[in-house]
Each structure stands twice: as C-alpha cells, then as structure tokens.
Amino acid sequence: VLLVICIEMLSSLILVRVIPNKNVGYDARVNADTYKEQDKLWLKDYYKEFLKTHILWKPYVYWRYAPFKGRYTNINEDGLRKTWNNDKKPLDISPSKRIFVFGGSTIWGTGARDDFTIPSFVSRILNLEKGLHVEVSNFGQSGYVTTQEFITLFILLQNGQITDLVIFYDGVNDC
C-alpha cells in the first residue's frame, strides 16, 4: 500500500511539472448561466483578477481581504471593496447619511465589478433615483458569518465610526 501511495504522489508531481496547465487563472464560474452574453467581454478578465486577491489575518474576525487595485476589483487598506458613491454633493443638500452593509460573498460582490455590487446598487438608487445623499460602505467579506459581522460592527462603533443604518444580508454561511 505504501508503495502505491508513493507511486501516486510521484506521478502527480511529474504531471504537474511536465504538463503545463492551460487554465491558470481560469475560474469555472465564467460559464455560469447567470451571466448575459455581453458579460463575457469582461468576465474572464474579472476572474483572472479575482484569483489574484487574497486575505490577511485580522484579529477577532479571522480574515479580511488584503488591499488590491485592479480594473474590476478594488479593495482599500481596510479590506473593504470599493462601492459606488455619488461624489457630486449639491451645496443645498442636508448632511449625508451613512449606511454600512454587511454580509458574505454575495454582498462583497463575487462575480461583479465594483460598481455592480449590491451596496453599489443601493447607493446609486438612493442617490440618483431617490434624491438622497447617502454614503454606503461595503463591509461584506467572503465566507463571513453573522458573528464576524457583529464583531466588525462593534469594533467600528468603538472606534467612533457611527452609521445611520446597518444592513445585514446573511443566510447560507450561517448554516
């Protein structure tokens, strides 16, 4: 049995070294039927870029995305995904309201460009369609569960980052 295991491991190493992987940077989600045909123009490049992102250890919540700058995905120094927010502030508008959005990969926006995540849509609808001036922050992180999100919110509040509204979008990761 030990001999068979050794042969299997050795042959795997030889195959990895000898046969080049033509799918480096490929992600099978590119073929998902949720994407329209026009999405195929950016989707392969998006997933190549996505596979370059990585996570860092973060006390109390275990991980958060590392800073990253790309064409489709941008993550700031706090590990937060870029969210569309209206930079044009009319002079006669009341002070902006802050909205924090928490969740897992759905909120983070896996498979979506920065301006097309759920928090970006919330910001765009409230700012442009409803005429409100809000600033939405995407605190989504792939794989996060409600406990990690509550801890993140508590840390934010302890550090004086006060919000007017908190949205939690959870489910699958908590099962």
Side-chain angles (χ1 to χ4, degrees), residues 79-98:
L80 305 183
R81 180 92 186 257
K82 179 183 176 282
T83 303
W84 184 95
N85 281 298
N86 191 359
D87 294 331
K88 299 173 184 161
K89 302 173 185 176
L91 296 174
D92 61 342
I93 198 160
S94 61
S96 67
K97 300 292 183 187
R98 295 179 73 190

Side-chain angles (χ1 to χ4, degrees), residues 22-149:
K22 295 179 182 175
N23 289 327
V24 172
Y26 175 78
D27 192 298
R29 291 175 280 194
V30 167
N31 299 319
D33 60 2
T34 56
Y35 294 108
K36 298 176 183 170
E37 197 56 40
Q38 67 260 25
D39 292 331
K40 307 291 183 185
L41 299 173
W42 58 267
L43 202 52
K44 285 183 182 178
D45 289 336
Y46 166 85
Y47 275 109
K48 283 181 186 175
E49 187 176 284
F50 174 74
L51 293 172
K52 293 177 185 174
T53 64
H54 64 278
I55 58 173
L56 298 174
W57 167 256
K58 189 79 172 170
Y60 305 109
V61 294
Y62 299 113
W63 71 85
R64 184 166 281 171
Y65 276 100
F68 183 84
K69 291 197 183 300
R71 182 173 178 192
Y72 305 108
T73 304
N74 291 279
I75 303 165
N76 72 16
E77 61 281 346
D78 295 321
L80 305 183
R81 180 92 186 257
K82 179 183 176 282
T83 303
W84 184 95
N85 281 298
N86 191 359
D87 294 331
K88 299 173 184 161
K89 302 173 185 176
L91 296 174
D92 61 342
I93 198 160
S94 61
S96 67
K97 300 292 183 187
R98 295 179 73 190
I99 300 173
F100 291 172
V101 184
F102 292 88
S105 57
T106 302
I107 289 299
W108 186 83
T110 300
R113 296 165 284 178
D114 290 334
D115 288 348
F116 296 89
T117 63
I118 292 172
S120 286
F121 277 117
V122 168
S123 180
R124 198 166 22 260
I125 289 167
L126 293 176
N127 278 287
L128 299 179
E129 294 179 21
K130 302 299 179 186
L132 302 172
H133 181 61
V134 299
E135 179 185 325
V136 179
S137 297
N138 182 348
F139 287 93
Q141 296 288 316
S142 294
Y144 262 31
V145 295
T146 308
T147 304
Q148 290 167 296
E149 297 161 15

